[in-house]
Amino acid sequence: MSSDKKFFKGGQHWVWLNAGAISISIIMVVGLLLLIAVRGLSHFWPAEVNTFKVKEGSSIELVMGEIHNFEEDIQDGLEREQYLIKTGNRDQYGIDFRWLDLKNIEETSVDENVVVLERREWGNLYGYIKSISMDGKSVEASAENLAAIIERANDLHHEIREIEAGEIGSINYALEELRLEQRRLELDDELTNDALADIEKQKSDLNQEFLSYQDNLQKLYADIKRDTAEFELIGGQTRTVNASMMVRSFQPNAMGVFSKIGHYFSKIGEFIFDEPREANTEGGVFPAIFGTVLMVLLMSIVVTPLGVIAAVYMREYAKQGPLTRTIRIAVNNLAGVPSIVYGVFGLGFFVYFLGGSIDELFYPEVKPSPMFGTPGLIWASLTLALLTLPVVIVSTEEGLSRIPSAIREGSLALGATKFETLWKTVLPMASPAMMTGLILAVARAAGEVAPLMLVGVVKLAPTLPLDGNAPFLHLERKFMHLGFHIYDVGFQSPNVEAARPLVYATALLLVLIIILLNIAAIKIRNNLREKYKSLEQ
């Protein structure tokens, strides 16, 4: 028999085909991740700002900005090359980007004195420092003085944020709790004069405390607006910007390598730890990171015991007959149901029925505003737990089926009950399979978006679900999610070109978070597998 016939008859060609398919898949995944990483992380590098002398017809125009993209196309049978320039100054031009045809560019120059000013509104400003006013007095128009007023303004912004979100937020929360307590006593006919007087006294004390913080805030707002800077734009126009609207300034054309590296990591830190601004196209994504991780943890806490209990019952206790097989087939089919169907079910059952019933029974004082009868973190977690439940059940059942029957019989022969055998022997040995199911559940749940849009996720959440107000973890609150953030920035943003790099950066961050969660679960699974490996042999 020839070697070719032996090769095909032995099935080695299938081995090579499978190996090739796996290799191609790995290369594609790695290539996709590299593409996302390059396009996302390069956004934070301080790009060079060019000045273009553009001639269109008889008119000459100066354009300043960063080269954002290069494109070649054919128009009217002629090859056309053009730059996409990020010109910023949206309050002046109405747009952040414009296309420049290379044949119209007569001259390109780089000026080290160009300043890039990141603002809280209207995006970046590109221009030259014309004058600076500090404490109402004119000072030298230098990059150092500009950085000084920005640093002071950022410190005041941070102080204002701490007072508004911390102290005043706690006061407002306490006032709302008192209002609900008063309403609760009214519904129960227990609102006595003494109880009402006590509530009014607490309200009065809180209002006095609020007024003191309000006075402090007014002083801080006055302080943050006392510094200004005037900039000259490339067309000769001038813009006066208050320090309260400034975030950061730098001169990219004059920066060295180490300065650019420092700026780069500063921007990445801002992206990870700050809150979003400018309709999510600027700033950071920390609330979305926090919401994503917290939701996945809550989902894991719910889905793991439910999946394990269901798998144990079907494998260890249920009579293996047509009904059990039908249930098992139904569970397997549930894994293929579109996620949006789970979202509709979660909205109807968890939010409206279960949440509405909880409000009716335990929180009648909140009417007509619902507390649990509205989308929130708890319902999003339960919906995703239901979505990933089939994965955990199937994985746990597979683990239970691999445990030799001799181990069960030996435990029972030594006098252990069936429950003791299950609890102390079978489940610990099946724990690696449970962790495998959890890993698959986390990987799927963390990236889901469609059901979350119905049961709790929002574009911007006013507060985090976890804060310093009792009961500290507020399961009824809406939250932000990285997956929805990607959808919102990529498809709902009014400034698509400015938002596109953040889509890549946020996608990379979501992938990294999923990888970190999976690595933690895989580490636990491997430790459990090594622990019970000798028992399986």
Side-chain angles (χ1 to χ4, degrees), residues 85-103:
I85 307 299
K86 183 177 181 180
T87 57
N89 303 334
R90 190 165 68 247
D91 49 344
Q92 173 66 27
Y93 305 128
I95 55 175
D96 278 303
F97 294 85
R98 63 177 291 185
W99 289 97
L100 291 182
D101 199 322
L102 264 64
K103 67 180 181 181

Side-chain angles (χ1 to χ4, degrees), residues 168-453:
I168 291 182
S170 298
I171 291 174
N172 290 333
Y173 185 82
L175 287 171
E176 179 63 14
E177 289 296 308
L178 287 174
R179 185 188 72 81
L180 294 177
E181 176 64 21
Q182 181 177 342
R183 177 61 179 161
R184 188 181 302 112
L185 293 174
E186 288 177 355
L187 293 174
D188 296 338
D189 292 327
E190 298 177 358
L191 186 61
T192 63
N193 292 332
D194 291 340
L196 181 60
D198 182 59
I199 290 175
E200 292 298 331
K201 183 180 183 305
Q202 293 183 60
K203 286 183 178 180
S204 177
D205 294 340
L206 289 171
N207 284 324
Q208 289 296 324
E209 190 177 356
F210 173 81
L211 291 176
S212 66
Y213 284 119
Q214 192 69 20
D215 292 339
N216 191 15
L217 277 179
Q218 290 179 356
K219 294 177 182 178
L220 291 174
Y221 276 119
D223 288 342
I224 204 173
K225 295 180 179 179
R226 62 187 176 181
D227 300 334
T228 60
E230 186 180 14
F231 297 87
E232 182 178 352
L233 309 185
I234 190 63
Q237 306 90 344
T238 59
R239 276 286 177 275
T240 300
V241 183
N242 195 280
S244 62
M245 301 302 297
M246 303 179 189
V247 177
R248 180 188 286 105
S249 70
F250 56 99
Q251 294 176 298
N253 298 340
M255 295 172 70
V257 175
F258 292 105
S259 299
K260 289 186 176 183
I261 292 175
H263 175 91
Y264 179 75
F265 283 105
S266 173
K267 288 286 291 181
I268 290 180
E270 177 192 55
F271 177 69
I272 295 175
F273 297 108
D274 281 9
E275 296 182 351
R277 61 177 189 271
E278 281 278 62
N280 288 346
T281 60
E282 299 286 346
V285 293
F286 177 75
I289 297 174
F290 187 89
T292 302
V293 174
L294 184 58
M295 182 205 67
V296 170
L297 292 178
L298 289 175
M299 181 275 300
S300 302
I301 292 172
V302 173
V303 74
T304 303
L306 289 178
V308 170
I309 290 172
V312 167
Y313 175 77
M314 287 195 296
R315 174 59 60 177
E316 302 291 333
Y317 288 96
K319 183 179 179 181
Q320 302 302 313
L323 180 61
T324 304
R325 287 196 296 270
T326 303
I327 294 174
R328 191 171 286 113
I329 292 172
V331 169
N332 292 333
N333 289 336
L334 281 175
V337 174
S339 60
I340 189 65
V341 175
Y342 286 98
V344 173
F345 175 82
L347 180 65
F349 179 76
F350 290 133
V351 177
Y352 292 149
F353 176 74
L354 189 57
S357 300
I358 291 174
D359 284 347
E360 187 72 28
L361 292 173
F362 302 105
Y363 301 99
E365 67 275 6
V366 303
K367 292 182 178 179
S369 299
M371 177 176 289
F372 283 95
T374 186
L377 176 64
I378 179 64
W379 308 132
S381 301
L382 289 178
T383 300
L384 290 188
L386 188 64
L387 185 149
T388 56
L389 184 61
V391 176
V392 179
I393 293 176
V394 172
S395 180
T396 304
E397 267 207 277
E398 290 295 325
L400 292 171
S401 65
R402 289 198 300 265
I403 297 175
S405 58
I407 293 179
R408 295 180 176 86
E409 295 168 358
S411 177
L412 294 172
L414 291 173
T417 64
K418 185 173 183 178
F419 177 77
E420 289 174 336
T421 300
L422 181 67
W423 183 254
K424 295 184 178 181
T425 304
V426 176
L427 284 182
M429 294 180 64
S431 56
M434 301 176 198
M435 293 305 301
T436 299
L438 180 60
I439 292 167
L440 297 174
V442 167
R444 182 177 183 188
E448 284 292 346
V449 177
L452 299 180
M453 295 169 66

Side-chain angles (χ1 to χ4, degrees), residues 32-166:
L32 178 61
L33 291 178
L34 288 176
L35 175 66
I36 294 173
V38 170
R39 294 195 174 183
L41 296 178
S42 61
H43 168 68
F44 304 110
W45 187 261
E48 186 178 70
V49 178
N50 296 275
T51 302
F52 303 94
K53 184 178 180 182
V54 182
K55 183 176 181 180
E56 295 187 7
S58 59
S59 63
I60 295 179
E61 180 186 9
L62 293 177
V63 177
M64 177 184 291
E66 305 171 8
I67 298 177
H68 195 73
N69 197 6
F70 173 75
E71 186 176 283
E72 293 181 333
D73 63 356
I74 297 177
Q75 193 174 62
D76 298 329
L78 299 175
E79 186 176 340
R80 182 182 182 186
E81 297 178 332
Q82 54 184 353
Y83 284 139
L84 178 62
I85 307 299
K86 183 177 181 180
T87 57
N89 303 334
R90 190 165 68 247
D91 49 344
Q92 173 66 27
Y93 305 128
I95 55 175
D96 278 303
F97 294 85
R98 63 177 291 185
W99 289 97
L100 291 182
D101 199 322
L102 264 64
K103 67 180 181 181
N104 295 330
I105 299 176
E106 289 193 341
E107 182 182 343
T108 302
S109 60
V110 176
D111 191 343
E112 293 187 353
N113 296 319
V114 172
V115 173
V116 178
L117 178 69
E118 294 182 19
R119 298 180 289 183
R120 299 187 185 276
E121 295 179 1
W122 303 109
N124 289 353
L125 180 145
Y126 299 91
Y128 302 92
I129 306 173
K130 190 173 182 181
S131 65
I132 296 177
S133 175
M134 186 180 294
D135 294 327
K137 299 178 182 179
S138 180
V139 297
E140 181 185 358
S142 64
E144 290 76 15
N145 286 333
L146 179 63
I149 67 172
I150 293 176
E151 182 179 2
R152 182 163 66 177
N154 286 335
D155 290 340
L156 290 172
H157 262 295
H158 181 68
E159 190 174 349
I160 290 171
R161 176 61 181 166
E162 284 189 341
I163 293 175
E164 290 180 339

Side-chain angles (χ1 to χ4, degrees), residues 474-511:
H474 305 275
L475 298 176
E476 77 283 358
R477 287 183 183 175
K478 294 177 174 60
F479 65 103
M480 295 179 66
H481 185 271
L482 284 173
F484 182 77
H485 188 82
I486 294 170
Y487 163 77
D488 176 68
V489 174
F491 298 97
Q492 304 295 317
S493 173
N495 196 350
V496 177
E497 292 295 342
R500 184 175 290 119
L502 288 181
V503 172
Y504 289 108
T506 308
L508 177 64
L509 188 59
L510 177 59
V511 171

